[in-house]
Amino acid sequence: GENVEQHPSTLSVQEGDSAVIKCTYSDSASNYFPWYKQELGKRPQLIIDIRSNVGEKKDQRIAVTLNKTAKHFSLHITETQPEDSAVYFCAASLGPAAGNKLTFGGGTRVLVKP
Amino acid sequence: DTAVSQTPKYLVTQMGNDKSIKCEQNLGHDTMYWYKQDSKKFLKIMFSYNNKELIINETVPNRFSPKSPDKAHLNLHINSLELGDSAVYFCASRASERTGELFFGEGSRLTVL
């Protein structure tokens, strides 16, 4: 089955700096890579996603890159703000033949210091 | 309107008891999931149903039994609760015609004493 590794497990940055979270996946058949943000005591919510036919995607201060050959993808947050503090999860999804199973990484706790 | 709703939000019970968590989605999605989030925040899939049919059943003790009476509901029943079952259980749904956003419920925090 799919295995998703995520690093680092914790990340502390100064407000205004950039944050980068990296993930690797094991199954080359995975074709969809979302990122979820989970604030304390709340539900995970999608912040950005990328499909396997795209190498990079950007939405305001967040961007995701995908390297299919190396089987890794990354989340970049620029100009971090205190409200970016949360746990971030990467995930990889196999297609309908595998039930669209979404496997999550272990999470990265991001703390943005004002 | 809440897209994915779970009840109860909090559940405190004794070891050995049986409990259920209910989930309903009003998004018209075909696929529903149960995820378990442990104290280290790791999100692990337990079950997935598509149009009331079980399609994913991870290595979960058979004390856990999901039930989907229709495609808008997916309930989780747990027998003989153990201390290690303490976690937050998230229900989620997703449209099945293509991979896409997973919508999570607010979670049900289960504490087994």
Side-chain angles (χ1 to χ4, degrees):
Chain A
E2 176 66 282
N3 184 47
V4 179
E5 300 277 345
Q6 183 171 347
H7 299 281
S9 57
T10 58
L11 181 59
S12 183
V13 296
Q14 208 63 41
E15 183 178 357
D17 288 350
S18 295
V20 180
I21 303 170
K22 298 183 178 183
C23 289
T24 60
Y25 61 99
S26 60
D27 195 327
S28 56
S30 288
N31 58 10
Y32 173 66
F33 306 91
W35 288 85
Y36 284 79
K37 175 183 180 183
Q38 186 178 24
E39 295 177 358
L40 188 62
K42 303 237 175 120
R43 74 187 86 191
Q45 291 191 289
L46 181 74
I47 54 170
I48 195 168
D49 56 12
I50 191 167
R51 298 189 184 275
S52 57
N53 57 348
V54 175
E56 186 173 354
K57 184 176 178 181
K58 190 174 179 181
D59 183 4
Q60 299 182 3
R61 294 186 299 107
I62 59 173
V64 58
T65 58
L66 171 65
N67 183 327
K68 283 183 62 180
T69 304
K71 290 190 281 188
H72 66 70
F73 55 116
S74 301
L75 177 73
H76 303 251
I77 307 173
T78 58
E79 300 171 27
T80 53
Q81 300 168 3
E83 54 264 37
D84 294 330
S85 296
V87 179
Y88 292 80
F89 293 95
C90 64
S93 181
L94 295 165
N100 291 326
K101 179 181 171 183
L102 194 64
T103 301
F104 285 87
T108 297
R109 189 179 298 275
V110 174
L111 175 63
V112 179
K113 295 179 287 186
Chain B
D1 283 344
T2 304
V4 182
S5 58
Q6 299 177 225
T7 54
K9 287 187 171 52
Y10 299 96
L11 193 51
V12 181
T13 189
Q14 300 287 331
M15 269 197 309
N17 284 350
D18 303 338
K19 291 293 177 187
S20 292
I21 307 172
K22 296 186 176 182
C23 179
E24 176 182 3
Q25 55 96 3
N26 62 6
L27 297 166
H29 289 166
D30 292 325
T31 308
M32 296 184 71
Y33 304 81
W34 278 109
Y35 278 85
K36 179 181 180 181
Q37 186 170 47
D38 61 24
S39 58
K40 294 183 179 179
K41 299 297 184 185
F42 190 65
L43 269 168
K44 184 168 172 56
I45 189 168
M46 301 174 68
F47 302 103
S48 171
Y49 271 74
N50 183 281
N51 272 323
K52 302 191 299 178
E53 181 185 349
L54 180 66
I55 54 173
I56 295 174
N57 184 350
E58 291 295 288
T59 308
V60 177
N62 56 16
R63 298 182 295 103
F64 291 77
S65 52
K67 280 191 173 57
S68 182
D70 55 60
K71 75 172 193 176
H73 295 84
L74 180 61
N75 304 322
L76 183 66
H77 187 76
I78 316 170
N79 289 329
S80 303
L81 279 157
E82 300 177 357
L83 293 176
D85 298 332
S86 295
V88 179
Y89 292 84
F90 283 99
C91 176
S93 74
R94 183 162 70 173
S96 66
E97 65 272 11
R98 58 175 295 185
T99 51
E101 183 174 358
L102 201 61
F103 288 83
F104 284 89
E106 292 184 339
S108 297
R109 181 177 293 279
L110 171 65
T111 303
V112 182
L113 303 175

